[in-house]
Amino acid sequence: IKHPLQSAWTLWYYENDRTQTWEKNQKEISSFQTVEDFWSLYNHIKPSSELRQGSDYSLFKKGIMPMWEDKANKRGGRWLLSLEKKQRNNDLDRYWLDIILCLIGEAFENSDEVCGAVVNIRHKGDKIAVWTADAQNGNAVLEIGRKLKERLHIPARVMLGYQLHKDTIEKTGSVSKYSYTV
Ligand code: M7G
């Protein structure tokens, strides 16, 4: 018997094809609902660090699209971990796996608030984020942020910031406003 997870999850892959819209470039890879099916998927895809620049992986609860517009995401935001370029070599794949394990293992007290996580492979520096459902739910947002920092062994001096999707959408230039920090 396989070991069931509390939720079913879907892995998405974004390919940067400039002839297509952003939405069309989001490709559903597959869904899983057991520990064993997770590992067989994980073991046969490329690690994030080997994806082409401009690509993303997204892991979301089944039924939630990895985009701001989904009804589960639109009132929410993301805990953002911006990596330095050199961290692609040592930290990126470990952080991404640890985040996945926190998500699918429902490691948070407020796991219900978790929608999914995204890794962006970018020339200017990779990013990893955990998306939550309701930015107004400050207690849940902060608990998730603190737990993330602890589970990823992120040094205290490194700040994690939470951005509302609404602010990310409206963002002009490179100003990023954080609604919460840990
Ligand atoms: P990004 O890939 O999140 O980060 O956003 P990057 O700037 O480091 O590459 C790049 C662009 O992708 C945005 O400016 C949007 O045009 C588009 N985009 C990203 N996200 C997460 C969404 C989304 O959820 N919905 C839509 N419609 N477009 C998005």
Side-chain angles (χ1 to χ4, degrees):
I1 314 155
K2 295 183 192 176
H3 299 78
L5 298 169
Q6 237 164 287
S7 307
W9 297 86
T10 302
L11 184 70
W12 300 77
Y13 172 62
Y14 172 90
E15 200 170 46
N16 189 17
D17 172 353
R18 298 210 178 133
T19 68
Q20 293 288 341
T21 62
W22 184 89
E23 286 89 343
K24 278 228 169 118
N25 283 333
Q26 285 286 358
K27 306 275 194 300
E28 193 175 325
I29 301 180
S30 85
S31 298
F32 56 88
Q33 201 168 356
T34 67
V35 174
E36 289 79 1
D37 289 347
F38 162 67
W39 285 114
S40 50
L41 174 61
Y42 182 83
N43 287 331
H44 105 212
I45 59 172
K46 279 188 186 174
S48 308
S49 60
E50 288 175 24
L51 297 180
R52 241 187 312 222
Q53 315 265 18
S55 313
D56 306 334
Y57 278 136
S58 303
L59 184 75
F60 276 74
K61 284 179 179 158
K62 194 175 175 177
I64 305 179
M65 305 274 282
M67 38 191 89
W68 307 314
E69 295 86 350
D70 191 284
K71 69 176 192 320
N73 297 320
K74 66 181 182 197
R75 272 173 241 92
R78 62 172 179 173
W79 278 110
L80 179 61
L81 179 55
S82 297
L83 302 183
E84 292 171 33
K85 284 189 185 191
K86 63 178 182 209
Q87 290 184 284
R88 186 178 295 170
N89 297 324
N90 32 33
D91 298 327
L92 176 74
D93 293 331
R94 175 176 75 80
Y95 282 158
W96 179 240
L97 178 58
D98 283 352
I99 285 190
I100 293 176
L101 296 177
C102 285
L103 262 59
I104 69 177
E106 316 246 348
F108 309 101
E109 278 162 50
N110 295 281
S111 284
D112 285 357
E113 284 287 320
V114 173
C115 298
V118 181
V119 55
N120 303 122
I121 304 306
R122 297 291 182 275
H123 175 68
K124 63 193 174 195
D126 304 324
K127 291 177 282 181
I128 298 183
V130 171
W131 290 29
T132 75
D134 181 5
Q136 308 279 18
N137 191 347
N139 287 335
V141 170
L142 283 168
E143 184 264 328
I144 290 165
R146 291 190 192 110
K147 180 73 56 69
L148 214 52
K149 196 163 174 176
E150 177 192 313
R151 290 281 296 251
L152 269 51
H153 306 290
I154 294 170
R157 67 182 153 77
V158 177
M159 190 204 62
L160 290 188
Y162 185 90
Q163 298 173 327
L164 309 193
H165 295 318
K166 186 171 67 67
D167 291 340
T168 307
I169 293 163
E170 288 166 3
K171 181 183 91 161
T172 47
S174 60
V175 261
S176 39
K177 172 179 149 196
Y178 293 131
S179 296
Y180 305 92
T181 54
V182 291

